[in-house]
Amino acid sequence: MSKKRILSVVKLNPEVEAYVKERYELVTPDTLGMDGGGIEVILSSGKGRVPKELMDRLPDLKMIDNFGVGYDGVDVNECRKRGIGICVTAGVLTEDVADLGVALALALCRRIPSSDSFVRDGRYGKGQKATTGTKFSGKRAGIAGLGRIGHALARRLEGFSMRVAYTDRYCTDDKYQRYPDIKTLAQNSDILFICAAATVQNHRMVNSEVLRALGPSGMLVNIARGSLVDEKALCDAITNGGIAGAALDVYENEPEVPQALIKSDRTVLTPHIASNTRETRALMAKVVIENLRTFEERGELPNNVLSR
Ligand code: 8YV
């Protein structure tokens, strides 16, 4: 009996790939051919794109099994209309992403990357003076997006004696001060952390006005998605001293990173690694496989963001 087809729009995690290849015929949009009938599942990730045009080729599509919690490449409205579930790896990567938020902010304040280079390239040995950073503990933290990751970050920052404030359209938490919008939050923050989902409403939520509100001593940390920040405005603010610095794990057109950010000594840049630890990637793979197995065996759509 021939195997059922499954379509992947991304390079798969090795464990997911091994599981899938044993049970399915794995196809890509390029090898799909004219007839997309019978394909019920698309495997995707934060990097994947599932536009309406692809869904049009798959009349039996029921599930997008997503390696990650972000699914901004998926046409969500179209999924809603067609009753297609978007199943994510909720919960398992929260801690890692929050950890990276702290690490990036600390690295930026305490100038860890440039201090590391200072030692490695011999300037320390020659008795030169290292650059002075800024104190991390006690800063005013602003969190845009107080979901699971935002909360995990808030808890960590409290441990650094920070006053934590936030803005969020849906979540509230009386423990922290809530601001009605991101501009007011930025005005009242030393470090603005972006943890919100990359929805249409949040597109470029950090614009030139918000960066102005953050001001010359303010810092931006983005562990969510590049599309939440107007990258051109950010480059200008970094180049002109409009803000003190930025620490970024995500970019508007990954893997491209603007030269203005690369050249600046007031940025800390990582290549979208927030969930990239051995432990978490193994758990993410497990959830993707479990989501798929549950769908196949029981016809259910676990961790479906559209059923919430
Ligand atoms: C992954 C992510 O790096 O969960 C997300 O939204 O961006 C990350 O966990 C990504 O899904 C892998 O491409």
Side-chain angles (χ1 to χ4, degrees), residues 2 140 150 172 186 193 206 251 272 280 287-288 304:
S2 66
R140 295 171 307 156
T172 51
F193 292 89
V206 180
Y251 310 89
H272 200 146
T280 294
V287 177
V288 165
N304 177 10

Side-chain angles (χ1 to χ4, degrees), residues 110-126:
R110 303 304 309 272
R111 296 186 155 265
I112 292 173
S114 56
S115 297
D116 181 90
S117 308
F118 180 79
V119 174
R120 285 173 202 276
D121 65 22
R123 278 176 289 157
Y124 182 49
K126 287 185 192 136

